[in-house]
Amino acid sequence: MTTRRYLEDFAVGQVFGSDSYAVTVDNIKEFAGQWDPQFFHVDEVEAEDSFFQGLAASGWHTACITMRLLVTGELRPAGGMIGAGVEELRWFRPVRPGDVLKVRAEVVDTRAMRSKPGYGIVRMRVETQDHLGETVQTFTTPLVVRGRGD
Amino acid sequence: MTTRRYLEDFAVGQVFGSDSYAVTVDNIKEFAGQWDPQFFHVDEVEAEDSFFQGLAASGWHTACITMRLLVTGELRPAGGMIGAGVEELRWFRPVRPGDVLKVRAEVVDTRAMRSKPGYGIVRMRVETQDHLGETVQTFTTPLVVRGRGD
């Protein structure tokens, strides 16, 4: 919980892990009811006759689970986890009740920010996997990370 | 509510609007408590001394608000709104309490899917604006849309 990583502590190839998150019928429906209220995310019976052929988590639910696992996981940049955006978010298969997700985040690039002295960008490739190790989602995100400022 | 658009009904340049969503201190904290529990999203006082210099909504909150506004808005593709992914999601400024967001979605490309006969891809550029018309977030998403299947 305590160690925070500054810009200078990141290097290409480092990998950070996370806890896990169990996807259930109830949390699929609760999330979707708020943010993605479509029949294939909120009704098991109607979902059978949908593109997903059964209840599926909203892709944004998977993205939010991923963010939660990143924030509570091993990465812990100094100043907090601040994404400037998201590049190429892809969903590979529907996430279903019973899936248990975890996240693997790998540093793919680091650089100083010219526009904001004292800060840098750490680009992370973030992979969300199920309990069998199958990838369900990937994205790359440039994180804004504080330098040590010695 | 009733008209659903099939692949053949979409054309480049069409624009679809949405209702609006009022961002508040309470809904910023509630969302972040679940999905992005960082001090600058859950505590107004501590947030003053952060990168954001005040309470700011999680970027994923803005993304989820956007999805809700898309689902409940004018777009309404047949079979539901099914994104294959998200390209180049960018956050332009922190979203704050008092912001009222709406969404503008423009068709930038349509094509049949070779891998899934009867379906096509409608690429949408999705812009989330505040009550002053300033853009707070953009992304492009390829939607999987059912053909009319005559």
Side-chain angles (χ1 to χ4, degrees):
Chain A
M1 283 291 297
T2 50
T3 307
R4 291 275 171 182
R5 289 180 177 84
Y6 291 86
L7 178 61
E8 295 81 356
D9 301 322
F10 287 99
V12 173
Q14 287 171 336
V15 173
F16 303 96
S18 79
D19 290 336
S20 62
Y21 184 99
V23 178
T24 67
V25 169
D26 286 348
N27 61 35
I28 286 175
K29 290 182 181 182
E30 188 191 343
F31 181 95
Q34 283 188 78
W35 302 114
D36 191 352
Q38 303 196 81
F39 69 102
F40 38 65
H41 299 320
V42 298
D43 187 311
E44 303 92 311
V45 178
E46 289 188 32
E48 293 297 329
D49 190 33
S50 75
F51 180 83
F52 295 111
Q53 302 181 293
L55 192 73
S58 169
W60 297 101
H61 190 184
T62 304
C64 285
I65 292 168
T66 300
M67 186 61 189
R68 183 177 177 91
L69 292 173
L70 283 175
V71 166
T72 58
E74 296 173 350
L75 184 50
R76 302 202 168 263
M81 194 156 332
I82 300 165
V86 177
E87 302 162 14
E88 292 298 326
L89 190 159
R90 294 183 61 191
W91 295 298
F92 292 90
R93 67 153 178 89
V95 168
R96 307 284 191 182
D99 285 335
V100 179
L101 304 183
K102 60 184 167 59
V103 168
R104 180 185 183 282
E106 179 172 350
V107 178
V108 293
D109 188 32
T110 77
R111 63 177 174 82
M113 278 178 92
R114 270 164 299 191
S115 62
K116 197 166 174 70
Y119 286 82
I121 296 287
V122 177
R123 280 181 72 238
M124 308 287 312
R125 184 176 186 280
V126 178
E127 194 172 325
T128 308
Q129 298 175 334
D130 67 16
H131 45 294
L132 303 175
E134 194 189 351
T135 300
V136 299
Q137 177 194 273
T138 55
F139 63 75
T140 301
T141 184
L143 297 181
V144 179
V145 180
R146 187 185 290 174
R148 202 173 281 281
D150 295 334
Chain B
M1 284 293 297
T2 48
T3 307
R4 291 275 170 183
R5 290 180 178 82
Y6 291 86
L7 179 61
E8 296 81 358
D9 300 322
F10 287 97
V12 173
Q14 287 172 336
V15 174
F16 302 97
S18 78
D19 290 337
S20 62
Y21 183 98
V23 178
T24 66
V25 169
D26 285 350
N27 62 35
I28 285 176
K29 291 182 180 182
E30 188 191 343
F31 182 94
Q34 285 189 76
W35 303 114
D36 191 352
Q38 303 197 81
F39 69 102
F40 37 64
H41 298 320
V42 297
D43 187 311
E44 302 92 312
V45 178
E46 289 188 31
E48 294 297 329
D49 189 32
S50 75
F51 180 84
F52 295 111
Q53 301 182 293
L55 192 74
S58 169
W60 297 101
H61 190 186
T62 305
C64 284
I65 291 168
T66 300
M67 186 61 189
R68 185 179 174 89
L69 291 173
L70 282 175
V71 166
T72 58
E74 296 172 352
L75 184 51
R76 301 201 170 264
M81 194 157 331
I82 300 164
V86 177
E87 302 162 15
E88 291 299 325
L89 189 158
R90 294 183 62 192
W91 295 299
F92 293 90
R93 68 155 178 87
V95 168
R96 308 283 190 183
D99 284 336
V100 179
L101 304 182
K102 61 184 165 61
V103 169
R104 179 186 186 281
E106 178 171 351
V107 178
V108 292
D109 189 31
T110 76
R111 62 175 175 81
M113 278 178 92
R114 269 163 300 191
S115 63
K116 196 166 174 71
Y119 285 83
I121 296 287
V122 177
R123 281 182 72 238
M124 307 288 312
R125 183 176 185 281
V126 178
E127 193 172 326
T128 308
Q129 299 175 333
D130 67 15
H131 43 294
L132 303 174
E134 193 188 351
T135 300
V136 298
Q137 176 194 273
T138 56
F139 64 74
T140 301
T141 185
L143 297 180
V144 179
V145 180
R146 188 185 291 175
R148 202 172 282 282
D150 295 333

